[in-house]
Amino acid sequence: MANITKKVSWSSRHDEPGATGEGTPLLNGSEQPRYSRQLSGGGIFQIGRLSTVDLDEEVASDQDHLRSRPKEIPHNEKLLSLKFESLDYDNSENQLFLEEERRMSYIGFRCLEISRWVVCGLIGFLTGLIACFIDIVVEQLAGMKYQVVKQNIEKFTEVGGLSISLILWAVLNSAFVMVGSIIVACFEEGPMIHSGAVVAAGVSQGRSTSLKRDFKIFEYFRRDTEKRDFVSAGAAAGVSAAFGAPVGGVLFSLEEGASFWNQMLTWRIFFASMISTFTLNFFLSIYNDKPGDLSSPGLINFGRFESDSVEYNLYEIPLFIAMGAIGGLLGALFNVLNYWLTIFRIRYIHRPCLQVMEAMLVAAVTATVSFAMIYFSNDCQPLGPDHSEEYPLQLFCADGEYNSMATAFFNTPERSVRSLFHNQPGTYNPLTLGMFTLTYFFLACWTYGLAVSAGVFIPSLLIGAAWGRLFGILLASITSSGSIWADPGKYALIGAAAQLGGIVRMTLSLTVIMVEATGNVTYGLPIMLVLMTAKIVGDYFVEGLYDIHIKLQSVPFLHWEPPATSHWLTAREVMSSPVTCFNRIEKVGTIVDVLSYTSTNHNGFPVVMHHAASDEPAKLCGLILRSQLIVLLKHKVFVELARSRLTQRKLQLKDFRDAYPRFPPIQSIHVSQDERECMMDLTEFMNPTPYTVPQETSLPRVFKLFRALGLRHLVVVDDANRVVGLVTRKDLARYHLGKHGLEELQLAQT
Amino acid sequence: MANITKKVSWSSRHDEPGATGEGTPLLNGSEQPRYSRQLSGGGIFQIGRLSTVDLDEEVASDQDHLRSRPKEIPHNEKLLSLKFESLDYDNSENQLFLEEERRMSYIGFRCLEISRWVVCGLIGFLTGLIACFIDIVVEQLAGMKYQVVKQNIEKFTEVGGLSISLILWAVLNSAFVMVGSIIVACFEEGPMIHSGAVVAAGVSQGRSTSLKRDFKIFEYFRRDTEKRDFVSAGAAAGVSAAFGAPVGGVLFSLEEGASFWNQMLTWRIFFASMISTFTLNFFLSIYNDKPGDLSSPGLINFGRFESDSVEYNLYEIPLFIAMGAIGGLLGALFNVLNYWLTIFRIRYIHRPCLQVMEAMLVAAVTATVSFAMIYFSNDCQPLGPDHSEEYPLQLFCADGEYNSMATAFFNTPERSVRSLFHNQPGTYNPLTLGMFTLTYFFLACWTYGLAVSAGVFIPSLLIGAAWGRLFGILLASITSSGSIWADPGKYALIGAAAQLGGIVRMTLSLTVIMVEATGNVTYGLPIMLVLMTAKIVGDYFVEGLYDIHIKLQSVPFLHWEPPATSHWLTAREVMSSPVTCFNRIEKVGTIVDVLSYTSTNHNGFPVVMHHAASDEPAKLCGLILRSQLIVLLKHKVFVELARSRLTQRKLQLKDFRDAYPRFPPIQSIHVSQDERECMMDLTEFMNPTPYTVPQETSLPRVFKLFRALGLRHLVVVDDANRVVGLVTRKDLARYHLGKHGLEELQLAQT
């Protein structure tokens, strides 16, 4: 947990192993953090922040979790963890790459482009299939649970002994949770967005490292730049399938993941999203015995808002804004509570058995509280003439009636949301809604961040829909009945948006997702106003839930813009210095030593060149990545001093692609003492034109370069093109705007 | 029309006036091209390509058109025009700027941020107002025209002499067109997207140069970076108001204008879009006597598709794709015809009076053809029981019936589209639709590119809706009636999308705009499939309409990605060289001379520094813009050689902002012979850390930098940081992928 020592002085010995701070050996996959999953919560419909870092983790963790051991995570928010590694969005345009491009014909480029579309189509298709599978399983399980508990309750309602039903319910819940935990632990099954991303990472690479199968296809895509694009498409496809919101999915993927806008890429992402919704709808239509009817939306169906009930009027706008403010306040409360809870968890509940126990405890408590609420509620509603209610429970109600509270608790949350949106006025009484909101709020807050898949998205919608409907009912009661106020479903929708916005604080993509999920464009403006108000009010108190979790895990996360008031900071202050450099023709032993040092945590090394027969200082001539060096060492691309340079074994880009992305650790590569004396010629493997900036470049300018180009390393040079330092994403992520102006976080090893 | 001479050799005399090719004097506003308006067509709902260049032109032309004289434009597509200047999206972070940022407190930054939102709100509000005004005027005029012609026709139908009606109609049409031409010439009134952009440029700068009013507000925003953001918001607001599609507007603005994705900016653009739709709806609701009812969509209203008619089935998908292919073919035909027409116009019709005459001719021919079609048509349809038809004309039909062809031609196109979408099956007979499609196709093709505001968007929708409905009717006739085929309105919608997509070739934003305009999410997938098919089929034959016009006008336009197969090209080949540089402390006379040379067409000059008492070559130390030099010269920021450096007059950023964006031409600045001998110290005005690349950098890498960072100049340096060349957008735009691989266009002076 050492702070990086900063020295502005220029070290002339480039080949000395760097003293750039301490860090985890980079390529040791077993260090992947277990908490990376918590970052994005869980639950089928959970939405996580799709940072470069996060996606990388996500994609990596489906391989690594089996090996990983949970570790205690420091909860100091002034620290940035070094465990997270970013992707490299900047192509290494070395000689091999250029040769390959030169060999490729125009037709070749067209074929590549077509195969990108094919891959995106596949990603969409598989993501849709997974969503369909999940939907059917959840439906079936919920139905089974209802049947069992219902029969049990009916049996015991008359003879007394409902406590047995309670126990049954609690046991069932806990069992589901346990299965859920195991599934999460084994298959990384989780939020649709993550499923999409994992599918994308698998499909686009044409192989599965965990299954040890290589299909020898799509080999060209085995590099960060391409993979990252496909993962964005997968994430979009996941959101699209979850909400039936293809455009929302694209926007979400861009809002959370993109750094620069590329039209062709956007279209491919859109294509994947569309195919995903399409696939889901098609297979669900078969499951629902209406084959070929594609008009049904995604997994979460807000139901159809009829045209006459969706109208709103100018004088309702202030009410909507007020609801947005309430959502912002409640969201901030939710986030603060969850923040404390998470700190508690980080401190005390970091062993797997404890985590499973906590999850089961939550499940049992949830069942108990629900049961108590249902037991003491006397909100009996008449069954509809067509018995269209889902899962009605009679309990102590008269014949032909059902317990309204029971329905709210017993349904899957998706169905509860839908019934809050669409049920006739009068279906719920205000007390039921109030009690439901209160209990569900705290239960949801406790649930979020458990080791099991359980997200915040649907619970937020449900809480919001409940208090929104309550708001609508109260409005109707203080004004004359029969007026426009009479439709509480509209207010339930607005409340749902407000609560969700208050917790996660997204606006654009959330607006579109909500609009697509309602299937009605008319609500666009009110939803947007509500989300914006919720964001402004909420941001006044505390950050959004995802940002809190990112911070709690010390993820080095680049925000959208550099902190204001940071123009006075220059690359000189930000960079790591001195930095380890290699000579263009370097001794193998030196390279092995540098890579083996745990204290050298950089993944890119500037390559410098000494002018022969001159005492001029070495000039920058390229940048080489740690992973490239590993591959070179593995293939023993050495030049023996005695022989000519031509004996250096010829490597192809294919060799690098085959090793991607799980490069072996340096420890696993054996280099003999003789070989250590050989030389390595880096010329054709290094990127000969890395991006550079002078030392006086301001932080915002450096930041903009990183953001816009997706850089991982930026070399800082003086006016004679000599390396003076190296800026990485982590160096930039350290600066953020706190309450007292610009704050600097420290880099930590954990 | 000189090709730039390329020399790779390094010229050591930096202060020699550059020989970098020939060009227009940059700051001479009178050179603004008249054709820049044609680029984006016309018509209220016209959508143009929002390139950096185009926006700049657009914003500039509202000031310059009064002075501009039309010039003959070369129609050689192998040339790039030098008339177009790009914006500078890269902040000049000079000492003045840094000092200002340093002085600004955190509160100051917050205030700035808030005023950005306020400006966006204002932009949305004003754009909405304008849209509302246009809508009402068009409605009123169409109504008047209908009344006049109808009465006339009724009068002459029985007594004979319908030719008088024809003449009346033709004269009315021509009169409208003439008024339109004059409006375009005087007020740059045009497509909503342009209105929005012009409003944005005005509001955000807090002043109007043509009205000579300076409100002394928003002075901070007087620079390219900020202005460009607001113009994007204005464009989005315009599209949003036109189609009632706020999300579509945002996407359109991003798809056509953005280079990198900035979340806060996206939200502000979204805000402006929302406010714009909201304002339009609010005032239209008052106009329609339903005050406060905000549920009506934008100017173009596709009408509500009822839930039971919007369903589609899997087996319809291939039909949709087939329609997409038809749309692509027809679109390509349209584009090819319009391409030939435009070349003809560029050659022969470049005088204003000829242009007005052509426009009036088109109007008259349109009236004649319409009249003939109506006259010979015998498609009589019964009037609805509630007389809901708009503008029915009885003509030779029986009482209680109306002429269907007349309605199609007489309505405003927006209404015709709506009735094609929603009228009951059987309202139009197939022959009417076929004839209508045929004539309207050629008329629309002739109209696009006239000097008058007349767009391609609505005509495309109308043509597509007509043949789409025809397609639907034919389908219904060959299958059993009463099936799902029975709804031709659905096919009209798909046809409209196919035709529009085949002509303009956008997909993402167009999908969203169409979906928002229909108000129904269900059609998302088919519309997207259709647009994609139309694009693929159309691209096989010819480019999109906007791209054709951009090329015909030799606009130096950067595409989304560098041409494939261009990795072997390096900055060395692309750059202009030798390049004119200034010394850090430079003689005033030299600067004036360089700026006065018409042959120096660059707008940025590298600043170099000679090390005192050493014969080392000069190193790059900054970049200064032509506009900055002009302001310095105007304020006579000179150091007399005799006195100390302290006498240099202190300039503030405010002085630069006051001059923005119409910097005076160098000719208007008088510099005496004494002053020519003074020196200018550029240190605190130049950008001290311009982006640089080495000579070996590949074209795609340079391209990426330009695209991602919105650069205008990129300095090429050697490994000792000496300037060897300068790359501008125009240098990059010259390379494009033609039929025979990579082609190089030439830079032309016109």
Side-chain angles (χ1 to χ4, degrees), chain A residues 347-510:
Chain A
R347 272 195 209 160
Y348 302 109
I349 316 182
H350 44 79
R351 301 176 64 187
C353 63
L354 282 178
Q355 289 175 344
V356 171
M357 277 171 61
E358 193 204 1
M360 289 172 65
L361 178 68
V362 172
V365 168
T366 303
T368 313
V369 170
S370 313
F371 202 84
M373 299 289 291
I374 292 170
Y375 190 84
F376 293 111
S377 148
N378 51 2
D379 182 7
C380 292
Q381 300 287 345
L383 277 169
D386 49 353
H387 292 269
S388 59
E389 283 81 10
E390 288 146 337
Y391 304 148
L393 274 182
Q394 187 177 348
L395 278 175
F396 309 110
C397 294
D399 285 350
E401 292 190 336
Y402 69 96
N403 186 311
S404 179
M405 183 71 98
T407 311
F409 268 111
F410 224 108
N411 262 337
T412 59
E414 294 82 23
R415 283 171 189 268
S416 297
V417 170
R418 204 158 52 219
S419 75
L420 283 168
F421 284 172
H422 295 293
N423 277 9
Q424 288 302 311
T427 322
Y428 293 93
N429 81 36
L431 190 66
T432 308
L433 286 174
M435 292 301 294
F436 179 79
T437 305
L438 199 70
T439 50
Y440 208 86
F441 183 88
F442 292 105
L443 287 175
C445 188
W446 191 10
T447 308
Y448 183 73
L450 281 182
V452 69
S453 278
V456 75
F457 219 88
I458 291 296
S460 303
L461 286 176
L462 187 48
I463 297 168
W467 67 253
R469 197 175 170 101
L470 181 61
F471 190 94
I473 292 173
L474 296 181
L475 264 185
S477 72
I478 58 171
T479 56
S480 60
S481 65
S483 75
I484 192 164
W485 314 108
D487 182 32
K490 180 166 65 182
Y491 289 91
L493 176 67
I494 297 292
Q499 185 65 53
L500 187 54
I503 290 175
V504 300
R505 312 278 167 77
M506 291 180 284
T507 51
L508 183 62
S509 59
L510 212 51

Side-chain angles (χ1 to χ4, degrees), chain B residues 166 170 173-174 359-369:
Chain B
L166 165 61
N173 266 12
S174 304
M360 289 172 66
L361 178 68
V362 171
V365 170
T366 304
T368 312
V369 171

Side-chain angles (χ1 to χ4, degrees), chain A residues 33-82:
Chain A
R34 180 180 179 79
Y35 279 81
S36 78
R37 284 200 297 279
Q38 277 202 16
L39 165 67
S40 345
I44 300 181
F45 313 106
Q46 179 48 45
I47 285 183
R49 195 172 278 275
L50 251 183
S51 70
T52 314
V53 169
D54 186 23
L55 273 181
D56 193 21
E57 288 309 314
E58 189 50 43
V59 173
S61 57
D62 67 325
Q63 317 292 350
D64 294 319
H65 63 273
L66 292 172
R67 289 172 269 146
S68 71
R69 284 285 158 273
K71 290 185 103 181
E72 188 161 2
I73 299 277
H75 50 277
N76 186 340
E77 288 155 63
K78 300 289 175 213
L79 290 177
L80 278 189
S81 170
L82 287 175

Side-chain angles (χ1 to χ4, degrees), chain A residues 54-321:
Chain A
D54 186 23
L55 273 181
D56 193 21
E57 288 309 314
E58 189 50 43
V59 173
S61 57
D62 67 325
Q63 317 292 350
D64 294 319
H65 63 273
L66 292 172
R67 289 172 269 146
S68 71
R69 284 285 158 273
K71 290 185 103 181
E72 188 161 2
I73 299 277
H75 50 277
N76 186 340
E77 288 155 63
K78 300 289 175 213
L79 290 177
L80 278 189
S81 170
L82 287 175
K83 292 173 311 176
F84 301 92
E85 289 299 337
S86 62
L87 290 175
D88 208 338
Y89 209 61
D90 184 36
N91 246 334
S92 178
E93 292 193 348
N94 55 23
Q95 289 181 19
L96 298 182
F97 175 80
L98 290 178
E99 272 164 32
E100 193 184 78
E101 299 283 301
R102 216 166 289 161
R103 272 199 308 274
M104 211 184 275
S105 63
Y106 178 62
I107 304 291
F109 277 104
R110 297 290 292 191
C111 290
L112 260 188
E113 189 59 27
I114 291 169
S115 54
R116 285 197 190 100
W117 283 92
V118 170
V119 169
C120 282
L122 272 177
I123 291 171
F125 179 73
L126 291 177
T127 308
L129 269 191
I130 292 176
C132 181
F133 173 76
I134 291 175
D135 192 49
I136 293 172
V137 168
V138 167
E139 195 100 327
Q140 295 287 350
L141 286 182
M144 274 165 50
K145 181 175 120 181
Y146 166 72
Q147 287 300 335
V148 171
V149 176
K150 185 192 170 185
Q151 282 165 13
N152 193 281
I153 286 178
E154 273 167 4
K155 189 166 135 201
F156 285 108
T157 306
E158 312 215 341
V159 301
L162 268 177
S163 47
I164 296 174
S165 304
L166 166 62
I167 291 166
L168 177 72
W169 192 354
V171 167
L172 272 180
N173 265 11
S174 304
F176 281 133
V177 163
M178 215 175 71
V179 172
S181 303
I182 292 167
I183 288 178
V184 166
C186 297
F187 301 106
E188 186 66 21
E189 190 62 79
M192 269 317 299
I193 180 169
H194 286 182
S195 308
V198 170
V199 164
V203 170
S204 68
Q205 305 298 296
R207 67 177 165 196
S208 164
T209 32
S210 49
L211 299 182
K212 301 255 185 295
R213 284 290 300 270
D214 190 336
F215 297 95
K216 303 277 179 203
I217 46 171
F218 306 139
E219 292 180 335
Y220 187 86
F221 300 144
R222 293 177 190 173
R223 57 179 191 225
D224 278 1
T225 330
E226 299 277 353
K227 188 171 170 180
R228 165 84 207 275
D229 288 351
F230 290 116
V231 168
S232 302
V239 175
S240 166
F243 296 95
V247 178
V250 175
L251 283 181
F252 177 83
S253 181
L254 291 172
E255 194 167 339
E256 298 292 301
S259 43
F260 73 87
W261 177 278
N262 176 321
Q263 203 168 25
M264 286 311 288
L265 173 62
T266 310
W267 287 345
R268 279 199 300 271
I269 295 180
F270 190 36
F271 182 68
S273 290
M274 278 288 184
I275 294 289
S276 158
T277 322
F278 182 86
T279 309
L280 173 70
N281 284 347
F282 179 68
F283 285 103
L284 277 190
S285 77
I286 292 177
Y287 176 72
N288 294 331
D289 277 337
K290 289 193 283 183
D293 173 14
L294 305 180
S295 315
S296 59
L299 285 191
I300 301 179
N301 182 351
F302 284 179
R304 194 176 292 285
F305 282 84
E306 287 310 320
S307 2
D308 51 339
S309 78
V310 294
E311 276 168 18
Y312 60 93
N313 213 305
L314 187 64
Y315 48 81
E316 288 182 89
I317 298 283
L319 289 171
F320 294 157
I321 291 177

Side-chain angles (χ1 to χ4, degrees), chain B residues 34 37-38 41-44 65-66 68 141 171-191 345 349 351-364 447 449-454:
Chain B
R34 182 181 178 78
R37 285 200 297 280
Q38 277 201 16
I44 300 181
H65 63 273
L66 291 172
S68 71
L141 287 181
V171 167
L172 273 180
N173 266 12
S174 304
F176 281 132
V177 163
M178 216 176 71
V179 172
S181 303
I182 293 167
I183 289 178
V184 166
C186 297
F187 301 107
E188 186 67 19
E189 191 64 81
R345 280 187 183 135
I349 316 183
R351 300 176 65 186
C353 62
L354 283 177
Q355 288 175 343
V356 171
M357 275 170 61
E358 193 204 0
M360 289 172 66
L361 178 68
V362 171
T447 307
L450 282 181
V452 70
S453 279

